Amino acid sequence: MLIMENGKRIQVFFFGKLSEIAGAATTLSNLHNTDELIQHLHTQFPALANEKFAVAVNKQTIHTNTELPDNCTVALLPPFSGG
Amino acid sequence: MLIMENGKRIQVFFFGKLSEIAGAATTLSNLHNTDELIQHLHTQFPALANEKFAVAVNKQTIHTNTELPDNCTVALLPPFSGG
Amino acid sequence: MDAIANTSNIMKKTPKNIFTEGPIAPAFISDSIAKHSSNTSIGGHSIFLGQVRADVIDDKQVIAIEYTAYNELALEKMHQIREAIFSKYPLTCMHIHHSLGRVAVGEICLFVFTSSAHRRAAIDACNEIVERIKNELPIWGKEILEDASHQWKVNQ
Amino acid sequence: MDAIANTSNIMKKTPKNIFTEGPIAPAFISDSIAKHSSNTSIGGHSIFLGQVRADVIDDKQVIAIEYTAYNELALEKMHQIREAIFSKYPLTCMHIHHSLGRVAVGEICLFVFTSSAHRRAAIDACNEIVERIKNELPIWGKEILEDASHQWKVNQ
């Protein structure tokens, strides 16, 4: 509850190889946009520096720095390998 | 035996719609090449005039008048419709 | 190999049979798929199935197709197509089955099945085999109509 | 329909599930084929099957792939692909199944099945769906090696 009042609550999901580096999910707050978020994650998980991934905010893949709405979901998506 | 001595024995097979016009097969003799054979068949089965078909001699499709070897097999092949 | 050597070679071998009396059963298809699990170099399978369609001809519905073929020539041609496809594409397996005799509407009359390490070969080969079967094999379909009359099928 | 209306429309519908826990059984495939015999407007089916390959990585053999996905996003994407393919090709049916979890070498992990009146639509659609699934669906394969180590798969 304290977190929610202090700022935006951001749920971050890590997939594929990234889940081995950062775990499956984490919750963050007080980050305003995706650039800030990625910066923060790189500091927290330095091994991310070697990985390629796309970023989706609320299931929309983004291509530029994007404002993070309240209670949003951010996903870090390494290259797909289904099929 | 008499037929064989009198000349070339030619087995003719009719497929698809042509088998309804001429039956499944017939045996002819004394015809030297495919032009003569086709002429003969047109006389014997006038309804062939309305049909499109390819001709195979001993399982090789021919494109020009072709000598008929002894004891050969001639097939009249209407357009294919397998599959 | 020149054309004459090639032809005599084909004449010597007994071509594989492709013909099945009546429709091809779905269980036959799954058995065929299941058999390939032991070939672990395969990464992709491509399958084409021809199914008899209830076309309407002069207000009368097709209820079945009766297939006949010039068997010997069809098998020789299929053998040539098989060899050509195997030299063109890196395939692991190729299986072809075509019905003869009566196949009712809704039933399967053609089963083409190709497998390869990477999907592209299986897909392209399957596609090409289907086209060549339709164009080159001496097979004829007689469409049986609901009033027991018939019409000879024409491939598009 | 403009892009916004389209997006909100997709959000409202519950997208069809495509995920199966573990491998796709050959019997499931034949059941799926058999069900289509009642649709007598179908003339051709095209099927693609992905099978887990025993690749060798650094002298160690792959024994299975473990699939995970961003399920919600994958199903939304698949729904968009489905709508796009149905508007592009005159298809009668389209069925997609993808494994999640562990699939052993030789087992089937992907089943794409399209049907149409005339073969071209089913074949082209199946082909395009397979490419789009590989490129656009957030699914990841972890290749399990014989010594229980692993490597994340990279699509070609």
Side-chain angles (χ1 to χ4, degrees):
Chain A
M1 295 311 256
L2 202 64
I3 290 169
M4 303 265 316
E5 283 166 62
N6 276 359
K8 307 176 177 207
R9 185 177 162 280
I10 305 150
Q11 251 201 305
V12 186
F13 293 112
F14 303 91
F15 289 97
K17 192 178 177 187
L18 305 184
S19 68
E20 296 185 330
I21 294 171
T26 186
T27 303
L28 301 171
S29 58
N30 282 322
L31 295 162
H32 301 93
N33 56 50
T34 49
D35 279 0
E36 275 184 34
L37 175 78
I38 300 305
Q39 178 99 47
H40 177 94
L41 291 172
H42 272 120
T43 311
Q44 197 176 349
F45 307 107
L48 282 182
N50 306 316
E51 302 302 327
K52 265 180 58 180
F53 54 85
V55 176
V57 176
N58 287 338
K59 292 186 274 174
Q60 297 292 320
T61 306
I62 58 151
H63 301 283
T64 55
N65 187 24
T66 299
E67 213 58 31
L68 293 173
D70 285 349
N71 300 313
C72 70
T73 295
V74 177
L76 271 60
L77 313 170
F80 307 152
S81 53
Chain B
M1 294 311 257
L2 203 64
I3 290 169
M4 303 260 321
E5 282 166 62
N6 276 357
K8 305 176 180 208
R9 186 175 161 280
I10 306 151
Q11 249 202 310
V12 186
F13 292 112
F14 303 90
F15 289 98
K17 193 178 175 188
L18 305 185
S19 67
E20 297 186 330
I21 294 171
T26 187
T27 304
L28 300 171
S29 57
N30 281 322
L31 294 162
H32 301 93
N33 56 49
T34 50
D35 278 1
E36 275 185 33
L37 176 78
I38 301 303
Q39 178 101 44
H40 179 94
L41 291 172
H42 272 119
T43 310
Q44 195 176 351
F45 307 108
L48 282 181
N50 306 316
E51 302 303 326
K52 266 180 59 181
F53 54 85
V55 176
V57 176
N58 287 338
K59 292 187 274 171
Q60 298 292 318
T61 306
I62 58 150
H63 301 283
T64 56
N65 186 25
T66 298
E67 212 58 33
L68 294 173
D70 283 349
N71 299 314
C72 70
T73 295
V74 176
L76 269 60
L77 312 171
F80 307 152
S81 54
Chain C
M1 218 189 304
D2 64 32
I4 292 162
N6 191 29
T7 303
S8 73
N9 186 31
I10 286 161
M11 295 300 170
K12 268 179 265 160
K13 284 195 205 173
T14 308
K16 231 172 161 173
N17 183 37
I18 64 165
F19 292 117
T20 299
E21 199 59 37
I24 294 157
F28 176 83
I29 297 166
S30 56
D31 286 352
S32 195
I33 294 167
K35 274 180 197 154
H36 288 75
S37 67
S38 58
N39 189 333
T40 59
S41 66
I42 294 172
H45 303 286
S46 187
I47 294 174
F48 178 81
L49 302 173
Q51 181 169 303
V52 175
R53 209 171 43 232
D55 280 346
V56 173
I57 296 167
D58 296 335
D59 292 334
K60 288 176 269 180
Q61 207 192 268
V62 171
I63 58 164
I65 296 183
E66 257 177 48
Y67 288 101
T68 50
Y70 185 2
N71 290 37
E72 272 180 278
L73 180 55
L75 297 183
E76 277 185 18
K77 280 269 182 205
M78 191 64 237
H79 181 76
Q80 289 165 21
I81 295 170
R82 193 187 299 274
E83 303 270 292
I85 296 286
F86 265 121
S87 26
K88 185 166 172 187
Y89 300 99
L91 292 185
T92 317
C93 313
M94 180 196 311
H95 303 282
I96 319 284
H97 300 275
H98 195 297
S99 294
L100 286 185
R102 194 178 176 105
V103 182
V105 147
E107 293 181 323
I108 307 289
C109 56
L110 173 62
F111 172 30
V112 177
F113 184 15
T114 53
S115 311
S116 54
H118 300 282
R119 68 186 176 285
R120 212 55 263 157
I123 292 171
D124 292 344
C126 184
N127 198 358
E128 192 169 324
I129 293 163
V130 171
E131 295 308 312
R132 294 194 65 174
I133 285 173
K134 299 239 180 199
N135 290 320
E136 299 176 36
L137 294 198
I139 302 175
W140 296 274
K142 187 165 89 171
E143 294 172 315
I144 312 296
L145 306 176
E146 51 190 335
D147 64 350
S149 67
H150 69 263
Q151 169 171 307
W152 290 90
K153 195 178 164 226
V154 176
N155 272 356
Q156 297 198 325
Chain D
M1 218 190 304
D2 63 33
I4 292 161
N6 191 28
T7 302
S8 73
N9 185 32
I10 286 162
M11 295 300 169
K12 268 178 267 162
K13 284 197 207 170
T14 309
K16 230 172 162 173
N17 184 37
I18 63 165
F19 292 117
T20 300
E21 201 57 40
I24 294 157
F28 176 84
I29 296 165
S30 56
D31 285 353
S32 197
I33 294 167
K35 275 180 196 153
H36 288 75
S37 67
S38 57
N39 189 333
T40 58
S41 66
I42 294 172
H45 305 285
S46 186
I47 294 175
F48 178 81
L49 302 173
Q51 180 168 304
V52 175
R53 210 173 40 232
D55 279 346
V56 172
I57 296 168
D58 297 335
D59 291 333
K60 287 176 268 181
Q61 206 192 269
V62 171
I63 58 165
I65 296 183
E66 256 176 49
Y67 287 101
T68 50
Y70 186 3
N71 291 36
E72 272 180 278
L73 180 55
L75 296 183
E76 278 185 18
K77 280 271 182 202
M78 191 64 237
H79 182 75
Q80 289 166 21
I81 295 169
R82 194 186 298 274
E83 303 271 292
I85 296 285
F86 265 121
S87 24
K88 186 167 171 186
Y89 300 100
L91 293 185
T92 317
C93 313
M94 180 195 312
H95 304 282
I96 320 283
H97 300 275
H98 195 295
S99 294
L100 285 184
R102 192 177 177 105
V103 182
V105 148
E107 292 181 324
I108 306 289
C109 57
L110 173 62
F111 172 30
V112 177
F113 184 16
T114 53
S115 311
S116 54
H118 300 281
R119 68 185 177 285
R120 212 57 259 159
I123 292 171
D124 292 344
C126 184
N127 198 359
E128 191 168 326
I129 293 164
V130 172
E131 295 307 313
R132 295 194 64 173
I133 285 174
K134 300 241 179 197
N135 290 322
E136 299 177 37
L137 294 198
I139 301 176
W140 297 273
K142 188 165 90 171
E143 293 172 315
I144 312 297
L145 306 177
E146 51 191 336
D147 64 350
S149 67
H150 69 263
Q151 168 170 309
W152 290 89
K153 194 179 164 226
V154 177
N155 272 358
Q156 297 198 326

